[in-house]
Amino acid sequence: MKTYIVGNWKLNFNVGEASVYLHKLQKKIANYRDIEVVVAPTALCLQSLSLQLDRSKIKLGAQNAFYQDFGAFTGEISFAELNGLVKYCIVGHSERRYIFHEDDKMVAKKVAAAIRHKITPILCIGETESERAFGETADVIRDQLLGGLSEIGAEDVSKVIVAYEPVWAISSTKDAKIATPDEIAEVTEMIRKNLKEVYGAKTSEEVPVLFGGSVKPTNAGAYLTTPGINGLLIGGASLILEQFTDIIDIAKRVK
Ligand code: PGA
């Protein structure tokens, strides 16, 4: 399986800044056959970045889209519009869930719309600090995982990437903590166990599982060698070119 290194730029970099960053990134990295480097800029940057993109090195991802293809949905963009522009779309990021009140039903419809338009959804799941403290992690993981997959057929589950992002480890969370490889391995096992129970052993092994939450060059090696982890979803560190390219180098080394 490939290793996925995904940069989630969130609401950072305007069109000009994004273009300069991509130009520098493409100069700095090579074409790695077994590492999939993805950047997810704001929707406004996608069109222009796609024109300068060297697809042999980097793929584009969107951060969000709505599940309806078109219609009276002021302010939204659709997976239908993203078709052909991006290979990936982050779905159900915790910021979407907690700031924009997206629930598992909404997330599931978005996962289905992504698949319908041949875009790989990166389904984000993860417990909050209080859910973990109350011993609810396994339930939250199961609900968000199976809930998020509930609108697609079993044959499409292996087209989804799952990202485990504990909310308490995301760098923008107040008093964010650093997840340990053991904590991550435990949840990765839960994810694969749930997938296996519902969709069978083969599918559970085919679904890539990424980790996200305060990933830096200093911890990327440990996370990438955590059992069951197939890549990283990186927020803050993906905005700093040296850090992002260092993480790509680390991925290459541990592969
Ligand atoms: P972070 O963000 O790397 O800044 O913690 C990760 C994410 O929210 O996807």
Side-chain angles (χ1 to χ4, degrees):
M1 193 185 288
K2 280 185 184 178
T3 299
Y4 295 84
I5 302 295
V6 184
N8 174 10
W9 292 356
K10 307 191 180 183
L11 184 45
N12 295 289
F13 290 161
N14 63 27
V15 174
E17 291 162 345
S19 169
V20 171
Y21 182 103
L22 185 67
H23 177 75
K24 290 185 187 162
L25 178 61
Q26 292 186 153
K27 267 176 99 171
K28 270 194 100 165
I29 66 170
N31 171 3
Y32 310 115
R33 199 158 26 99
D34 45 9
I35 299 177
E36 183 88 330
V37 178
V38 183
V39 294
T42 68
L44 205 56
C45 296
L46 288 170
Q47 188 75 54
S48 58
L49 291 193
S50 80
L51 299 175
Q52 75 175 92
L53 192 70
D54 177 349
R55 287 177 175 71
S56 68
K57 294 183 179 176
I58 299 170
K59 306 294 187 298
L60 270 187
Q63 298 174 14
N64 175 45
F66 192 52
Y67 58 84
Q68 296 280 6
D69 291 353
F70 57 88
F73 305 104
T74 301
E76 293 296 327
I77 63 161
S78 69
F79 289 95
E81 291 179 296
L82 291 175
N83 182 327
L85 203 54
V86 302
K87 193 169 171 198
Y88 299 92
C89 184
I90 300 168
V91 177
H93 188 279
S94 58
E95 285 148 19
R96 301 292 324 167
R97 291 177 190 265
Y98 297 108
I99 303 172
F100 300 99
H101 311 295
E102 288 189 15
D103 59 12
D104 288 330
K105 268 204 177 118
M106 164 82 80
V107 171
K109 286 181 182 165
K110 292 185 173 193
V111 167
I115 299 280
R116 200 166 67 239
H117 291 290
K118 312 234 168 331
I119 292 165
T120 301
I122 302 176
L123 168 62
C124 298
I125 61 175
E127 79 287 2
T128 62
E129 185 167 26
S130 67
E131 286 164 345
R132 176 163 278 259
F134 283 107
E136 294 166 3
T137 301
D139 289 347
V140 172
I141 293 299
R142 191 194 54 234
D143 290 353
Q144 291 186 355
L145 176 69
L146 301 181
L149 297 173
S150 62
E151 294 280 331
I152 60 171
E155 70 285 1
D156 286 329
V157 170
S158 59
K159 297 177 188 158
V160 176
I161 295 176
V162 173
Y164 171 49
E165 293 210 311
V167 181
W168 48 269
I170 292 181
S171 66
S172 53
T173 301
K174 199 170 164 280
D175 301 324
K177 307 203 170 42
I178 302 293
T180 67
D182 283 350
E183 286 167 330
I184 298 166
E186 198 187 346
V187 174
T188 308
E189 211 181 301
M190 288 175 198
I191 292 170
R192 290 236 155 74
K193 190 167 159 271
N194 281 300
L195 290 174
K196 190 175 171 190
E197 274 169 19
V198 182
Y199 301 104
K202 187 167 175 286
T203 302
S204 80
E205 282 154 27
E206 284 170 351
V207 173
V209 178
L210 317 187
F211 172 72
S214 300
V215 175
K216 302 273 178 301
T218 45
N219 57 26
Y223 291 154
L224 284 168
T225 48
T226 296
I229 287 295
N230 308 108
L232 302 168
L233 180 53
I234 307 154
S238 75
L239 299 172
I240 303 161
L241 185 68
E242 289 69 28
Q243 294 200 10
F244 194 56
T245 53
D246 279 355
I247 294 170
I248 295 167
D249 281 343
I250 292 164
K252 204 173 54 182
R253 246 180 287 138
V254 303
K255 188 82 194 170

mmCIF file of all heavy atoms in Angstrom, residues 37-66:
data_model
loop_
_atom_site.group_PDB
_atom_site.id
_atom_site.type_symbol
_atom_site.label_atom_id
_atom_site.label_comp_id
_atom_site.label_asym_id
_atom_site.label_seq_id
_atom_site.Cartn_x
_atom_site.Cartn_y
_atom_site.Cartn_z
ATOM 1 N N VAL A 37 1.690 12.259 -2.353
ATOM 2 C CA VAL A 37 1.687 13.571 -1.696
ATOM 3 C C VAL A 37 0.456 14.340 -2.176
ATOM 4 O O VAL A 37 0.217 14.462 -3.379
ATOM 5 C CB VAL A 37 2.973 14.361 -2.037
ATOM 6 C CG1 VAL A 37 2.937 15.738 -1.384
ATOM 7 C CG2 VAL A 37 4.217 13.586 -1.599
ATOM 8 N N VAL A 38 -0.317 14.824 -1.226
ATOM 9 C CA VAL A 38 -1.570 15.515 -1.556
ATOM 10 C C VAL A 38 -1.583 16.858 -0.829
ATOM 11 O O VAL A 38 -1.201 16.921 0.341
ATOM 12 C CB VAL A 38 -2.797 14.691 -1.082
ATOM 13 C CG1 VAL A 38 -4.104 15.371 -1.475
ATOM 14 C CG2 VAL A 38 -2.754 13.260 -1.620
ATOM 15 N N VAL A 39 -1.998 17.912 -1.518
ATOM 16 C CA VAL A 39 -2.255 19.166 -0.809
ATOM 17 C C VAL A 39 -3.721 19.542 -0.986
ATOM 18 O O VAL A 39 -4.286 19.376 -2.062
ATOM 19 C CB VAL A 39 -1.337 20.334 -1.263
ATOM 20 C CG1 VAL A 39 0.109 20.063 -0.892
ATOM 21 C CG2 VAL A 39 -1.470 20.634 -2.743
ATOM 22 N N ALA A 40 -4.310 20.038 0.099
ATOM 23 C CA ALA A 40 -5.722 20.431 0.086
ATOM 24 C C ALA A 40 -5.817 21.920 0.421
ATOM 25 O O ALA A 40 -5.838 22.308 1.585
ATOM 26 C CB ALA A 40 -6.518 19.595 1.090
ATOM 27 N N PRO A 41 -5.832 22.765 -0.616
ATOM 28 C CA PRO A 41 -5.949 24.218 -0.394
ATOM 29 C C PRO A 41 -7.415 24.624 -0.254
ATOM 30 O O PRO A 41 -8.300 23.769 -0.319
ATOM 31 C CB PRO A 41 -5.356 24.789 -1.684
ATOM 32 C CG PRO A 41 -5.701 23.782 -2.735
ATOM 33 C CD PRO A 41 -5.759 22.433 -2.041
ATOM 34 N N THR A 42 -7.674 25.919 -0.118
ATOM 35 C CA THR A 42 -9.071 26.366 -0.105
ATOM 36 C C THR A 42 -9.670 26.124 -1.493
ATOM 37 O O THR A 42 -8.940 26.043 -2.491
ATOM 38 C CB THR A 42 -9.195 27.874 0.216
ATOM 39 O OG1 THR A 42 -8.661 28.613 -0.884
ATOM 40 C CG2 THR A 42 -8.477 28.246 1.498
ATOM 41 N N ALA A 43 -10.977 26.054 -1.557
ATOM 42 C CA ALA A 43 -11.656 25.771 -2.832
ATOM 43 C C ALA A 43 -11.308 26.824 -3.889
ATOM 44 O O ALA A 43 -11.210 26.519 -5.074
ATOM 45 C CB ALA A 43 -13.168 25.723 -2.606
ATOM 46 N N LEU A 44 -11.097 28.047 -3.414
ATOM 47 C CA LEU A 44 -10.821 29.146 -4.346
ATOM 48 C C LEU A 44 -9.512 28.944 -5.106
ATOM 49 O O LEU A 44 -9.336 29.471 -6.199
ATOM 50 C CB LEU A 44 -10.761 30.453 -3.534
ATOM 51 C CG LEU A 44 -11.064 31.764 -4.241
ATOM 52 C CD1 LEU A 44 -12.432 31.726 -4.898
ATOM 53 C CD2 LEU A 44 -10.988 32.914 -3.249
ATOM 54 N N CYS A 45 -8.586 28.191 -4.531
ATOM 55 C CA CYS A 45 -7.261 28.001 -5.154
ATOM 56 C C CYS A 45 -7.217 26.808 -6.101
ATOM 57 O O CYS A 45 -6.243 26.644 -6.845
ATOM 58 C CB CYS A 45 -6.200 27.766 -4.074
ATOM 59 S SG CYS A 45 -5.959 29.155 -2.970
ATOM 60 N N LEU A 46 -8.232 25.961 -6.062
ATOM 61 C CA LEU A 46 -8.115 24.669 -6.753
ATOM 62 C C LEU A 46 -7.912 24.817 -8.260
ATOM 63 O O LEU A 46 -7.058 24.164 -8.845
ATOM 64 C CB LEU A 46 -9.358 23.810 -6.480
ATOM 65 C CG LEU A 46 -9.454 23.251 -5.054
ATOM 66 C CD1 LEU A 46 -10.828 22.623 -4.823
ATOM 67 C CD2 LEU A 46 -8.351 22.246 -4.791
ATOM 68 N N GLN A 47 -8.708 25.689 -8.870
ATOM 69 C CA GLN A 47 -8.648 25.831 -10.331
ATOM 70 C C GLN A 47 -7.258 26.284 -10.784
ATOM 71 O O GLN A 47 -6.651 25.673 -11.667
ATOM 72 C CB GLN A 47 -9.709 26.852 -10.771
ATOM 73 C CG GLN A 47 -9.886 26.960 -12.262
ATOM 74 C CD GLN A 47 -10.642 25.762 -12.833
ATOM 75 O OE1 GLN A 47 -11.729 25.438 -12.386
ATOM 76 N NE2 GLN A 47 -10.049 25.101 -13.810
ATOM 77 N N SER A 48 -6.750 27.334 -10.154
ATOM 78 C CA SER A 48 -5.452 27.848 -10.609
ATOM 79 C C SER A 48 -4.328 26.877 -10.265
ATOM 80 O O SER A 48 -3.420 26.657 -11.061
ATOM 81 C CB SER A 48 -5.183 29.242 -10.041
ATOM 82 O OG SER A 48 -5.216 29.204 -8.639
ATOM 83 N N LEU A 49 -4.381 26.255 -9.102
ATOM 84 C CA LEU A 49 -3.320 25.303 -8.755
ATOM 85 C C LEU A 49 -3.333 24.096 -9.690
ATOM 86 O O LEU A 49 -2.279 23.556 -10.021
ATOM 87 C CB LEU A 49 -3.451 24.821 -7.303
ATOM 88 C CG LEU A 49 -3.164 25.838 -6.196
ATOM 89 C CD1 LEU A 49 -3.016 25.122 -4.860
ATOM 90 C CD2 LEU A 49 -1.932 26.672 -6.462
ATOM 91 N N SER A 50 -4.519 23.703 -10.124
ATOM 92 C CA SER A 50 -4.582 22.520 -10.991
ATOM 93 C C SER A 50 -3.840 22.785 -12.308
ATOM 94 O O SER A 50 -3.325 21.866 -12.926
ATOM 95 C CB SER A 50 -6.033 22.110 -11.247
ATOM 96 O OG SER A 50 -6.604 22.910 -12.235
ATOM 97 N N LEU A 51 -3.767 24.051 -12.716
ATOM 98 C CA LEU A 51 -3.082 24.386 -13.972
ATOM 99 C C LEU A 51 -1.561 24.315 -13.833
ATOM 100 O O LEU A 51 -0.861 24.103 -14.809
ATOM 101 C CB LEU A 51 -3.501 25.789 -14.447
ATOM 102 C CG LEU A 51 -4.989 25.964 -14.755
ATOM 103 C CD1 LEU A 51 -5.303 27.407 -15.102
ATOM 104 C CD2 LEU A 51 -5.413 25.043 -15.896
ATOM 105 N N GLN A 52 -1.049 24.521 -12.632
ATOM 106 C CA GLN A 52 0.408 24.484 -12.452
ATOM 107 C C GLN A 52 0.881 23.184 -11.796
ATOM 108 O O GLN A 52 2.060 23.001 -11.541
ATOM 109 C CB GLN A 52 0.891 25.705 -11.638
ATOM 110 C CG GLN A 52 0.597 25.637 -10.163
ATOM 111 C CD GLN A 52 1.201 26.792 -9.368
ATOM 112 O OE1 GLN A 52 0.542 27.796 -9.173
ATOM 113 N NE2 GLN A 52 2.444 26.658 -8.926
ATOM 114 N N LEU A 53 -0.085 22.280 -11.569
ATOM 115 C CA LEU A 53 0.226 21.064 -10.819
ATOM 116 C C LEU A 53 1.017 20.052 -11.650
ATOM 117 O O LEU A 53 0.631 19.731 -12.771
ATOM 118 C CB LEU A 53 -1.099 20.428 -10.378
ATOM 119 C CG LEU A 53 -1.026 19.310 -9.354
ATOM 120 C CD1 LEU A 53 -0.627 19.864 -7.997
ATOM 121 C CD2 LEU A 53 -2.384 18.616 -9.245
ATOM 122 N N ASP A 54 2.097 19.551 -11.071
ATOM 123 C CA ASP A 54 2.815 18.429 -11.670
ATOM 124 C C ASP A 54 2.230 17.164 -11.040
ATOM 125 O O ASP A 54 2.589 16.767 -9.938
ATOM 126 C CB ASP A 54 4.310 18.554 -11.370
ATOM 127 C CG ASP A 54 5.091 17.361 -11.924
ATOM 128 O OD1 ASP A 54 4.466 16.370 -12.346
ATOM 129 O OD2 ASP A 54 6.327 17.445 -11.934
ATOM 130 N N ARG A 55 1.295 16.551 -11.772
ATOM 131 C CA ARG A 55 0.541 15.428 -11.197
ATOM 132 C C ARG A 55 1.388 14.186 -10.933
ATOM 133 O O ARG A 55 0.963 13.272 -10.255
ATOM 134 C CB ARG A 55 -0.647 15.072 -12.099
ATOM 135 C CG ARG A 55 -1.747 16.108 -12.001
ATOM 136 C CD ARG A 55 -2.915 15.830 -12.934
ATOM 137 N NE ARG A 55 -3.977 16.802 -12.680
ATOM 138 C CZ ARG A 55 -3.930 18.087 -12.992
ATOM 139 N NH1 ARG A 55 -2.870 18.583 -13.586
ATOM 140 N NH2 ARG A 55 -4.933 18.903 -12.707
ATOM 141 N N SER A 56 2.592 14.166 -11.492
ATOM 142 C CA SER A 56 3.457 13.015 -11.209
ATOM 143 C C SER A 56 4.022 13.109 -9.791
ATOM 144 O O SER A 56 4.462 12.125 -9.228
ATOM 145 C CB SER A 56 4.591 12.937 -12.228
ATOM 146 O OG SER A 56 5.479 14.021 -12.044
ATOM 147 N N LYS A 57 3.999 14.328 -9.221
ATOM 148 C CA LYS A 57 4.550 14.515 -7.870
ATOM 149 C C LYS A 57 3.487 14.747 -6.804
ATOM 150 O O LYS A 57 3.630 14.315 -5.663
ATOM 151 C CB LYS A 57 5.482 15.730 -7.858
ATOM 152 C CG LYS A 57 6.738 15.575 -8.688
ATOM 153 C CD LYS A 57 7.598 16.819 -8.533
ATOM 154 C CE LYS A 57 8.885 16.694 -9.332
ATOM 155 N NZ LYS A 57 9.670 17.940 -9.246
ATOM 156 N N ILE A 58 2.479 15.489 -7.174
ATOM 157 C CA ILE A 58 1.505 15.944 -6.165
ATOM 158 C C ILE A 58 0.086 15.803 -6.712
ATOM 159 O O ILE A 58 -0.154 16.019 -7.898
ATOM 160 C CB ILE A 58 1.769 17.434 -5.807
ATOM 161 C CG1 ILE A 58 3.174 17.585 -5.221
ATOM 162 C CG2 ILE A 58 0.732 17.974 -4.828
ATOM 163 C CD1 ILE A 58 3.615 19.010 -5.061
ATOM 164 N N LYS A 59 -0.833 15.474 -5.808
ATOM 165 C CA LYS A 59 -2.246 15.422 -6.190
ATOM 166 C C LYS A 59 -2.996 16.508 -5.408
ATOM 167 O O LYS A 59 -2.561 16.911 -4.324
ATOM 168 C CB LYS A 59 -2.839 14.045 -5.851
ATOM 169 C CG LYS A 59 -2.056 12.869 -6.440
ATOM 170 C CD LYS A 59 -2.101 12.836 -7.950
ATOM 171 C CE LYS A 59 -1.469 11.595 -8.562
ATOM 172 N NZ LYS A 59 -0.041 11.446 -8.266
ATOM 173 N N LEU A 60 -4.134 16.912 -5.947
ATOM 174 C CA LEU A 60 -4.929 17.942 -5.274
ATOM 175 C C LEU A 60 -6.069 17.309 -4.488
ATOM 176 O O LEU A 60 -6.661 16.316 -4.922
ATOM 177 C CB LEU A 60 -5.544 18.885 -6.301
ATOM 178 C CG LEU A 60 -4.786 20.133 -6.733
ATOM 179 C CD1 LEU A 60 -5.689 20.978 -7.611
ATOM 180 C CD2 LEU A 60 -4.284 20.945 -5.542
ATOM 181 N N GLY A 61 -6.353 17.914 -3.356
ATOM 182 C CA GLY A 61 -7.504 17.505 -2.568
ATOM 183 C C GLY A 61 -8.329 18.734 -2.226
ATOM 184 O O GLY A 61 -7.791 19.846 -2.136
ATOM 185 N N ALA A 62 -9.635 18.541 -2.051
ATOM 186 C CA ALA A 62 -10.485 19.614 -1.536
ATOM 187 C C ALA A 62 -10.670 19.363 -0.039
ATOM 188 O O ALA A 62 -10.416 18.267 0.454
ATOM 189 C CB ALA A 62 -11.821 19.616 -2.257
ATOM 190 N N GLN A 63 -11.095 20.395 0.670
ATOM 191 C CA GLN A 63 -11.268 20.258 2.124
ATOM 192 C C GLN A 63 -12.699 19.905 2.507
ATOM 193 O O GLN A 63 -12.966 19.473 3.621
ATOM 194 C CB GLN A 63 -10.884 21.567 2.814
ATOM 195 C CG GLN A 63 -9.448 21.972 2.616
ATOM 196 C CD GLN A 63 -9.163 23.339 3.202
ATOM 197 O OE1 GLN A 63 -9.945 23.896 3.973
ATOM 198 N NE2 GLN A 63 -8.021 23.900 2.840
ATOM 199 N N ASN A 64 -13.614 20.122 1.571
ATOM 200 C CA ASN A 64 -15.027 19.915 1.870
ATOM 201 C C ASN A 64 -15.825 20.150 0.596
ATOM 202 O O ASN A 64 -15.365 20.841 -0.301
ATOM 203 C CB ASN A 64 -15.471 20.933 2.942
ATOM 204 C CG ASN A 64 -16.949 20.885 3.237
ATOM 205 O OD1 ASN A 64 -17.523 19.801 3.391
ATOM 206 N ND2 ASN A 64 -17.589 22.042 3.296
ATOM 207 N N ALA A 65 -16.993 19.568 0.508
ATOM 208 C CA ALA A 65 -17.944 19.900 -0.562
ATOM 209 C C ALA A 65 -19.312 19.438 -0.079
ATOM 210 O O ALA A 65 -19.423 18.661 0.883
ATOM 211 C CB ALA A 65 -17.573 19.211 -1.869
ATOM 212 N N PHE A 66 -20.355 19.916 -0.779
ATOM 213 C CA PHE A 66 -21.727 19.552 -0.408
ATOM 214 C C PHE A 66 -22.158 18.330 -1.212
ATOM 215 O O PHE A 66 -21.633 18.067 -2.284
ATOM 216 C CB PHE A 66 -22.667 20.738 -0.652
ATOM 217 C CG PHE A 66 -24.026 20.574 -0.045
ATOM 218 C CD1 PHE A 66 -24.161 20.242 1.293
ATOM 219 C CD2 PHE A 66 -25.171 20.743 -0.805
ATOM 220 C CE1 PHE A 66 -25.414 20.076 1.866
ATOM 221 C CE2 PHE A 66 -26.428 20.591 -0.241
ATOM 222 C CZ PHE A 66 -26.545 20.252 1.092
#
